Amino acid sequence: MSPVPATLDERFREAAASADLLDAAFDVLDETPVGPLLVGVTDRGVCRIAFDPDPEQELERLARLYGPRVLRSSKAVDRLRRELAEYFERRRRSFDLELDLRAAPEYQRRVLAELARVEYGQTTTYGELAARTGNPRAARAVGAVMNRNPVPIVLPCHRVVGANGSLVGYGGGLDRKELLLRLEGAIL
Amino acid sequence: MALAVPPFERFYEAHKDEVLSFLRKRVGRERADDLFQETFLRALRAYDRLEHGEHLRAWVLTIASRLVIDGARRERPQGELLEEPAVVDRRPAYEELAPLTDGLPPKERAAVVLRYGYDLGYDEIGAALGSTEQAARQAASAGVRRLRKEKRQR
């Protein structure tokens, strides 16, 4: 049995994405300054960015959250890929993308909405973000939300640091947090 | 929420090669490429309505098989006699079955091809055809009887 030629395979994936038949589409961006990224989108917007992705696990996750019709499609993530590339080349300071955060519980969504307002090249603290979402003592809870951020980079949890200025933690590893903050000129 | 079926990506990766080679044997390379895409688009349209992930192989081969049959119906002019297929040795069973079963009703044909060409069990064929194991067995044997009868009449 001969394998399906790449052109035919790509043609089907493209047709499936344009026919609006997918619950979610994903692709792996192999070469970014922060290593391979798995990115996922639905018809509502970007729903997933994962560092060091385990594709099988991410596939299950997308299917569980959005429906079983999940397919890899390079076309479906075109815009996200382009904006990320521009960001990494320092040609973009904010993302012009819809997000699909329907899988996040209400409190998480509120914190993430506040996070989205932290600007390029700036940092804030867990406590400040907690205060802005209504409870100054919820710094730990905010930390947990950052750790579970479904779309890091686009929602800039790397811009949230400890009260004393230390980087504290990052779902994708501290090296990456540092790299992103350096890229934005937030630290030297 | 437990998943009734595997993510489509996995289903597609598991069966795409077999579907394409099935189609190529039936309709040739060029047509096969079109039908390949149509097969999986149809599967995608129905995928979220499937209640379980068993028999997915039989299911997708049946979709492909139906597309081949539908295409052949449209293209064959009314009243034209079926060409006698040249039987060549060492060809796989399904390749010989393809032209031989052209004249069968769709359900019988699918049952015969899936049983004798693809060696699927009657339980799988029943699931693929949306009926029961018993009905699949009957469809296959009705198909075989019809083929024998046609052969005698030729």
Side-chain angles (χ1 to χ4, degrees):
Chain A
M1 201 167 6
S2 51
V4 173
T7 46
L8 187 55
D9 180 70
E10 211 40 60
R11 212 176 76 187
F12 163 66
R13 293 176 184 280
E14 207 173 311
S18 352
D20 232 357
L21 290 172
L22 300 179
D23 296 316
F26 71 98
D27 201 4
V28 178
L29 314 183
D30 275 315
E31 295 186 14
T32 83
V34 289
L37 291 177
L38 182 142
V39 296
V41 300
T42 69
D43 58 348
R44 299 191 201 178
V46 178
C47 64
R48 185 66 176 152
I49 294 180
F51 295 109
D52 302 322
D54 170 353
E56 286 303 294
Q57 201 184 318
E58 290 294 330
L59 208 52
E60 290 283 344
R61 175 192 158 106
L62 290 171
R64 204 175 56 239
L65 295 178
Y66 306 104
R69 294 173 304 179
V70 178
L71 191 67
R72 184 168 60 71
S73 162
S74 141
K75 182 195 162 85
V77 305
D78 261 352
R79 185 151 157 213
L80 175 57
R81 182 193 301 105
R82 199 176 57 239
E83 294 207 7
L84 281 171
E86 290 165 358
Y87 169 80
F88 285 126
E89 290 162 14
R90 288 204 174 100
R91 292 190 290 121
R92 172 174 289 279
R93 297 167 66 91
S94 67
F95 293 96
D96 186 17
L97 298 162
E98 299 292 323
L99 300 180
D100 184 348
L101 300 177
R102 78 185 110 147
E106 154 70 20
Y107 175 70
Q108 252 183 61
R109 274 212 299 271
R110 237 172 52 223
V111 176
L112 293 174
E114 224 23 82
L115 172 67
R117 297 154 66 129
V118 183
E119 285 187 13
Y120 187 94
Q122 308 293 311
T123 57
T124 186
T125 66
Y126 295 95
E128 251 179 80
L129 202 52
R132 273 192 265 154
T133 36
N135 183 357
R137 286 179 305 176
R140 249 167 220 287
V142 164
V145 174
M146 296 303 104
N147 194 44
R148 276 197 291 268
N149 180 3
V151 286
I153 305 176
V154 170
L155 283 180
C157 56
H158 57 279
R159 294 177 196 153
V160 187
V161 299
N164 60 2
S166 69
L167 296 186
V168 183
Y170 191 57
L174 277 180
D175 288 356
R176 291 194 174 106
K177 188 170 190 171
E178 200 180 321
L179 186 147
L180 293 172
L181 289 174
R182 261 183 224 292
L183 176 105
E184 296 184 3
I187 55 174
L188 293 176
Chain B
M1 189 178 70
L3 289 172
V5 287
F8 192 86
E9 174 74 24
R10 260 194 225 154
F11 157 77
Y12 171 70
E13 282 295 333
H15 302 295
K16 64 178 186 177
D17 293 348
E18 187 173 15
V19 166
L20 185 62
S21 70
F22 167 82
L23 288 168
R24 282 184 171 173
K25 278 162 196 148
R26 299 288 304 274
V27 296
R29 209 162 253 261
E30 209 168 311
R31 283 271 296 140
D33 286 4
D34 293 336
L35 292 187
F36 173 81
Q37 178 164 323
E38 188 54 32
T39 298
F40 280 105
L41 285 176
R42 281 195 189 192
L44 196 50
R45 272 187 208 107
Y47 200 69
D48 60 341
R49 296 196 300 271
L50 293 178
E51 280 165 16
H52 58 75
E54 293 160 45
H55 315 298
L56 289 175
R57 172 172 176 262
W59 178 65
V60 72
L61 286 172
T62 308
I63 296 175
S65 183
R66 278 186 191 145
L67 283 170
V68 170
I69 295 167
D70 291 351
R73 286 249 167 75
R74 271 196 300 278
E75 275 160 32
R76 196 184 315 133
Q78 291 292 315
E80 189 189 318
L81 288 171
L82 288 176
E83 274 179 44
E84 190 80 32
V87 177
V88 181
D89 279 344
R90 291 187 312 276
R91 286 198 304 176
Y94 43 80
E95 209 167 325
E96 289 172 27
L97 276 170
L100 284 170
T101 54
D102 261 353
L104 294 181
K107 210 159 208 174
E108 290 178 18
R109 182 178 199 211
V112 169
V113 170
L114 293 173
R115 178 66 196 95
Y116 298 102
Y118 278 80
D119 204 28
L120 294 180
Y122 288 117
D123 55 338
E124 290 180 284
I125 300 169
L129 298 178
S131 59
T132 61
E133 179 177 344
Q134 180 63 13
R137 195 184 297 275
Q138 279 166 5
S141 73
V144 169
R145 270 201 307 278
R146 205 186 296 269
L147 286 174
R148 287 207 182 106
K149 207 164 124 197
E150 278 177 19
K151 201 177 165 206
R152 276 201 300 276
Q153 285 167 354
R154 259 184 248 163

